[in-house]
Amino acid sequence: RRRQRYVEKDGKCNVQHGNVRETYRYLTDIFTTLVDLKWRFSLLVFILAYAVTWLFFGLIWWFIAYCRGDLEHLEDHAWTPCVNNLNGFVSAFLFSIETETTIGYGHRVITDQCPEGIVLLLLQAILGSMVNAFMVGCMFVKISQPNKRAETLVFSSHAVVSLRDDRLCLMFRVGDLRDSHIVEASIRAKLIKSKQTQEGEFIPLDQTDLSVGFETGDDRLFLVSPLIISHEIDERSPFWDVSRHQLEKDDFEIVVILEGMVEATGMTCQARSSYLADEVLWGHRFTPLLSLEEGFYEVDYGGFHHTVAVPTPACSARQLAAAAARRQAQLYWSIPSRLDQP
């Protein structure tokens, strides 16, 4: 049975929020709500915000002209209207657009004999500036979001388990396809697995941190070339008692998160990926990508996801450590016995 992913390979979280009763909270942070909308809805809101504002003030300009009787004295040159050359709703709508966008064609212009028009002009200028600042700000933030920068941050398609310095390690590879670097890049890994506590409480999708060098600072990356991130399976690791046979039957997901600042914009970028149990290859190692050319190092991304099989014990890390301890004890006791021989 194919396991349902918590985080997709492209980093999208496979979680949907249902039965949210306090929907008013979305309106209290309307700016973030508009930024989070899909592009088609953002463009629709952007167009409607301006169109409704222009129509609203155009209707008021027409209403003022209608109440003052300007529309009844269109051919009377002795009459001083509120807005010159305003002869209907269409011209009032065009005057509203000219006022809010400060185009100023010069054909329609407000006169000094209309105090209510002067007040409306001030209100539209202020409100129009607020609409411009809000909507242009939303579009600017949405365009400059670093989500697309994460598309050039790649993760290996599989994770591997093999020996490193006589210790079992869980490893995966990360790389950056751009020449501009991710500043202050850091990596995290979490094990997503359901568990049951000693009291009988069932915790679905429990999250456990996997150490990838937080204590030593190895989680802070200088991501100029592809790097292999290693999680040492020690007594603090949730894989301490997991052997190759148990790994093949286990059901879990490893979520990896790469964060950093985009060098060009200074905005925070986050890339995510995940590995299911059947995407963890026991007894494999990543192939090298870096080669020294004349005056520079070259990275061959064609083999980014390639792995090779290497000799690896099928036992768990606990059993491997116990076997190493027994060998060390035997060596310790054999040395004095040899010295006692004549």
Side-chain angles (χ1 to χ4, degrees), residues 50-274:
Y50 284 101
V52 170
T53 305
W54 295 336
L55 286 171
F56 174 74
F57 281 101
L59 182 63
I60 297 179
W61 284 114
W62 174 84
F63 183 74
I64 291 176
Y66 176 80
C67 292
R68 294 182 79 256
D70 294 344
L71 301 180
E72 299 175 359
H73 299 80
L74 296 177
E75 303 298 333
D76 188 356
H77 298 287
W79 180 266
T80 303
C82 182
V83 179
N84 289 329
N85 301 306
L86 195 152
N87 53 18
F89 177 75
V90 175
S91 59
F93 175 68
L94 293 175
F95 180 71
S96 174
I97 296 176
E98 295 171 16
T99 301
E100 189 164 332
T101 57
T102 65
I103 293 177
Y105 288 125
H107 183 64
R108 279 174 289 271
V109 60
I110 190 172
T111 62
D112 56 359
Q113 302 298 320
C114 183
E116 60 272 23
I118 296 175
V119 173
L120 181 60
L121 179 66
L122 294 176
L123 289 176
Q124 186 172 5
I126 295 172
L127 184 60
S129 299
M130 295 175 62
V131 171
N132 284 333
F134 189 81
M135 298 309 303
V136 173
C138 285
M139 297 303 293
F140 175 78
V141 172
K142 192 170 183 65
I143 291 173
S144 60
Q145 277 184 321
N147 296 340
K148 296 301 180 182
R149 180 63 176 90
E151 297 292 334
T152 53
L153 298 174
V154 292
F155 297 87
S156 57
S157 57
H158 291 83
V160 299
V161 175
S162 61
L163 289 175
R164 261 194 175 185
D165 296 328
D166 290 333
R167 294 179 179 271
L168 278 178
C169 294
L170 172 71
M171 295 170 284
F172 57 91
R173 182 146 59 186
V174 298
D176 187 0
L177 302 180
R178 287 190 180 274
D179 293 331
S180 59
H181 308 311
I182 295 294
V183 182
E184 296 292 334
S186 62
I187 191 76
R188 290 181 293 149
K190 286 186 174 292
L191 175 66
I192 310 295
K193 184 179 181 181
S194 301
K195 76 170 187 178
Q196 190 168 6
T197 64
Q198 297 179 358
E199 295 77 15
E201 178 188 5
F202 178 74
I203 303 178
L205 303 178
D206 180 62
Q207 299 184 11
T208 305
D209 278 331
L210 297 179
S211 177
V212 288
F214 177 77
E215 298 84 359
T216 60
D218 291 338
D219 63 325
R220 295 187 290 272
L221 310 178
F222 183 48
L223 198 58
V224 178
S225 60
L227 299 176
I228 296 177
I229 310 302
S230 175
H231 163 67
E232 182 179 328
I233 303 178
D234 54 14
E235 59 274 5
R236 297 172 299 175
S237 173
F239 296 105
W240 178 241
D241 293 312
V242 176
S243 64
R244 179 173 186 172
H245 180 66
Q246 291 172 320
L247 180 69
E248 294 173 351
K249 298 188 301 181
D250 210 343
D251 188 13
F252 62 85
E253 183 175 354
I254 300 172
V255 176
V256 293
I257 305 168
L258 176 63
E259 292 180 321
M261 290 189 302
V262 181
E263 189 177 33
T265 62
M267 302 184 71
T268 302
C269 172
Q270 185 181 92
R272 299 180 293 265
S273 188
S274 68

